[in-house]
Amino acid sequence: MRAAAYAKVNLALAVYPRSVDGYHPLRGIFQSVSFADHVSVGPSSEDSVTVEGGEAPDDESNLAWKAIDAVRRSVRNPSPVALTIKKRIPMGAGLGGGSANAAAALGLMAARLGLEDDSVAELAESLGADVPFSFVGGTKLVEGRGERLSPYEPLGDFALGIVVPPFSLSTPAVFGEWDRLECPVGDVMDDRHLPPTLRGGHPIRNDLLPAAISLDPRVGEWRDEIAARWGTGVAMTGSGSALFAFFSTIDEAHSAVEGIDIPTRAAEAVEPVDVGWRQINGGSQDD
Ligand code: C5P
């Protein structure tokens, strides 16, 4: 069984002071986008984890493997499984690639072994803050530490240009720096840089951006460089380091990313997608 596991972009991310569970309550608009890893799971003579084309761990510390193991334990079926992940989404980028891989593995295994929806939702939450969103995907208002999802009207009248600079950021380190800086608030993106459906609504800001810049000033330099080249506002997704801007059409986003001639970990033109992962049968490169 094979699935496309889509990256997410935090179009907006408000962060509130750390609670007793060690996590920061959030409120943000999360969007799945057409930039995907491929995850396959299948029966095997022994357990195995294979990662192609990326740096994700190829052992039991891989979050998608933890998802597989959690489903097996839950239904008390210890049959060996082979997991293969074809990586395109860079790690430590704020694009939720690891969570997307885990969500897809969870979904494939749940279908294969007949796990009920309530148990799947519980497992998703236990795997990581972004996994519940990645399991559902689309456009959602996300609250709590990431587990409370509500519908948000689909925003699909835009494309995004995404640039992933050649360095990664650690999510716990960025949240720690946000605490140290005493809870800064990100700048709100001006309406003229936003698609019509986002104008005058939920403030489009990322409170983790000041913390990411403080931790690694290259984030600010890259943001300014991309903003100057594209002539538009540039935002950061999650805890970084990936940066993005809005475009009216996918063609405009393509021309923008094609103009990025400096070394990056990825430069992609993407569109919103309405799921976090999707089972696939054929071999389309675009999935
Ligand atoms: O749940 P996940 O493993 O993705 O989170 C990684 C780390 O990011 C957590 O251990 C925590 O330090 C930080 N985090 C947070 N508040 C959130 C999400 C993540 O402090 N809402």
Side-chain angles (χ1 to χ4, degrees), residues 243-255:
L243 303 164
F244 67 93
F246 294 95
F247 294 91
S248 305
T249 64
I250 192 75
D251 289 344
E252 276 183 38
H254 273 301
S255 330

Side-chain angles (χ1 to χ4, degrees), residues 18 22-26 99 127-130 144-146 171-173 175:
R18 198 187 283 269
Y23 278 78
H24 296 75
L26 311 170
S99 301
L127 287 162
D130 280 337
R145 63 191 228 186
T171 300
F175 275 106

Side-chain angles (χ1 to χ4, degrees), residues 34-37 53 86-90 265-266 268 285 287:
S34 57
F35 181 30
D37 290 340
K86 292 193 175 128
K87 289 268 348 144
R88 287 187 65 213
I89 308 169
R265 286 192 291 151
E268 295 286 328
Q285 288 295 314
D287 277 314

Side-chain angles (χ1 to χ4, degrees), residues 27 79 221 260 286:
R27 183 175 157 83
S79 309
E221 293 159 16
I260 300 296
D286 297 331

Side-chain angles (χ1 to χ4, degrees), residues 16-37:
Y16 302 97
R18 198 187 283 269
S19 17
V20 281
D21 66 3
Y23 278 78
H24 296 75
L26 311 170
R27 183 175 157 83
I29 306 171
F30 287 36
Q31 175 67 62
S32 305
V33 295
S34 57
F35 181 30
D37 290 340

Side-chain angles (χ1 to χ4, degrees), residues 8-10 90-97 130 169 171 236-242 265:
K8 64 92 179 134
V9 170
N10 301 103
M91 309 228 318
L95 291 167
D130 280 337
L169 290 180
T171 300
M236 182 183 82
T237 173
S239 53
S241 59
R265 286 192 291 151

